[in-house]
Amino acid sequence: MAYAGLTTERLTRAGAELADEVGFDQVTVSELARRFDVKVASLYSHLKNSRDLKTRIALLALEELADRAADALAGRAGKDALTAFANVYRDYAREHPGRYAAAQFRLDPETAAVSAGGRHAQMSRAILRGYDLTEPDQTHAVRLLGSVFHGYVSLELAGGFSHSSPDSEESWSRALDALDSLLRNWPAP
């Protein structure tokens, strides 16, 4: 029997909040049950297990991030679009570190196919059309952007840039300038 007031959506959102508070790796059905002051068994009518909970949090995070990115990209092109897109990822990671980590969670192929992950790839490719890249260069560039954004944000969240000058904001801006320059002058194979 389902516990009154608990729904899969409510549990997923609470799990996402928990991830932001304690870290995505620490999110479990047991920890969520403690948050609601219920027995773990009460949650199994809504969630299969901790992997199911983490998958749902990942899907929520991907959706939230895609919605923000789409809003930020509206009417933008070129470096303006690249910067807006990059800043959405960075800002989201700062505001929701657990959810951002969830967005990196490995999904099974069927779940990934219906997730907002495809929207992220489409938006990346839309930005790259402004740089006149064709395949396979476009795929290489999508991977480069993801690597730079994720790498920078991960290092920043871990405190990797907090003990040195100049400020990480300046380095972020320079990294985006360098990406823009590279994309405008993409090397021939």
Side-chain angles (χ1 to χ4, degrees), residues 5-109:
L6 293 182
T7 64
T8 303
E9 182 179 344
R10 185 170 179 219
L11 292 169
T12 301
R13 291 204 173 276
E17 291 169 13
L18 183 63
D20 288 337
E21 293 167 18
V22 302
F24 183 64
D25 290 342
Q26 302 306 312
V27 174
T28 63
V29 174
S30 297
E31 194 60 39
L32 196 57
R34 277 191 279 286
R35 176 167 276 215
F36 283 97
D37 195 27
V38 298
K39 294 183 193 258
V40 174
S42 301
L43 302 187
Y44 287 127
S45 61
H46 304 286
L47 301 165
K48 294 177 191 168
N49 50 38
S50 290
R51 176 157 180 83
D52 180 40
L53 173 61
K54 287 185 172 191
T55 297
R56 290 173 186 282
I57 296 168
L59 293 171
L60 172 68
L62 287 168
E63 190 71 33
E64 288 176 343
L65 198 46
D67 289 346
R68 285 186 183 197
D71 288 346
L73 287 175
R76 297 176 191 249
K79 184 180 179 195
D80 191 33
L82 175 69
T83 300
F85 192 66
N87 285 335
V88 162
Y89 279 82
R90 186 174 181 222
D91 293 346
Y92 188 80
R94 288 169 152 181
E95 291 170 34
H96 300 291
R99 293 178 204 207
Y100 180 76
Q104 315 309 314
F105 188 64
R106 187 183 215 46
L107 301 172
D108 65 70

